[in-house]
Amino acid sequence: QVQLVESGGGLVQAGGSQRLSCTASGRTFSSCAMGWFRQAPGKEREFVAAISWTGGNTYYADSVKGRFTISRDNAKSTVLLQMNSLKPEDTAVYYCAADQKPYLSRSAYYASEYDYWGQGTQVTVSS
């Protein structure tokens, strides 16, 4: 069992940066691949980024590639999402998710792959 709590959301101007943090509790965090998803009002939840259990493999959505960076610190049971050059279209509720499988595959892009979810944190980018 893994419990996830996101933090770091808020209001930021376009072009700015923000860092989201997801802290996990539970014994199995270090063996889980982790992902970030987001959901804007009236839209479906979409994949943002994912990282394997060692941090050695990462995936990104095309819309955030080159602007966002996912990382993890297994000693602190934390996964981070550094977001730079933010755009108004990045506005959404951001969710952290844990996959009981340690490695990334093509399934990592889909919400159905993940077993545990946080409650989400709102990110609002003003123009």
Side-chain angles (χ1 to χ4, degrees):
Q1 191 81 353
V2 178
Q3 293 79 41
L4 304 171
V5 178
E6 303 96 335
S7 61
L11 177 64
V12 62
Q13 287 191 330
S17 297
Q18 200 157 33
R19 188 176 75 169
L20 303 183
S21 178
C22 174
T23 301
S25 59
R27 295 181 300 166
T28 61
F29 170 81
S30 61
S31 63
C32 292
M34 299 294 296
W36 284 98
F37 286 74
R38 67 187 182 186
Q39 188 166 17
K43 295 188 177 181
E44 292 188 357
R45 191 168 299 190
E46 66 172 0
F47 171 79
V48 175
I51 189 166
S52 62
W53 70 293
T54 63
N57 196 14
T58 56
Y59 291 176
Y60 294 96
D62 288 343
S63 59
V64 307
K65 203 171 292 183
R67 299 189 298 123
F68 290 12
T69 302
I70 188 171
S71 61
R72 67 188 297 162
D73 184 340
N74 286 342
K76 296 181 179 179
S77 296
T78 300
V79 60
L80 302 175
L81 185 68
Q82 178 66 43
M83 306 184 293
N84 299 328
S85 302
L86 283 161
K87 305 175 182 180
E89 51 263 43
D90 294 318
T91 294
V93 177
Y94 283 71
Y95 297 90
C96 174
D99 182 352
Q100 292 187 98
K101 295 188 289 294
Y103 300 104
L104 297 183
S105 68
R106 285 179 292 180
S107 299
Y109 293 94
Y110 300 96
S112 59
E113 173 68 8
Y114 296 83
D115 303 289
Y116 306 103
W117 291 84
Q119 83 288 349
T121 186
Q122 176 71 46
V123 173
T124 303
V125 184
S126 63
S127 58

